[in-house]
Amino acid sequence: MIAAPNIFVGDYTYYDDPKDPTGFEKNNVLFNWPQFGDRLIIGKFCSIACGTTFLMGSANHRVTSHQRLPFQRVWRRLGGKHPAPPLSAAL
């Protein structure tokens, strides 16, 4: 059963997990905070493989913040400009 108000699953869609078949939302939808306005819409007649993970938009973080990871050096080498957006961002 899906309790989150921003996750919609179409009719006849199924998911099975031998360890926790009722924990789809808890185990497979990560960074889901409905207050940010994200929605996950899964269509009708879908078969979702065990272990499939959905990353919601809230997983993004600011790349201009201070951090200790080497990504900041790469960012500076790119001139502080973001490379071409991923294909999914253009949809």
Side-chain angles (χ1 to χ4, degrees):
M1 179 173 177
I2 304 293
N6 63 331
I7 299 176
F8 306 93
V9 180
D11 296 333
Y12 310 107
T13 291
Y14 66 94
Y15 167 80
D16 190 21
D17 182 347
K19 293 180 184 175
D20 188 10
T22 60
F24 174 77
E25 182 181 353
K26 177 182 68 163
N27 299 326
N28 302 79
V29 182
L30 306 180
F31 304 101
N32 185 26
W33 293 292
Q35 61 269 28
F36 288 110
D38 291 344
R39 295 186 313 163
L40 173 60
I41 301 172
I42 302 171
K44 295 181 179 181
F45 302 100
C46 295
S47 172
I48 301 171
C50 177
T52 299
T53 303
F54 295 90
L55 292 174
M56 300 299 278
S58 302
N60 291 329
H61 59 86
R62 294 180 57 179
V63 293
T64 57
S65 300
H66 295 297
Q67 55 184 319
R68 297 177 146 229
L69 301 173
F71 302 118
Q72 190 70 19
R73 287 190 297 266
V74 173
W75 181 258
R76 281 191 213 117
R77 252 186 275 148
L78 290 172
K81 296 181 181 174
H82 204 306
L87 185 59
S88 61
L91 299 177

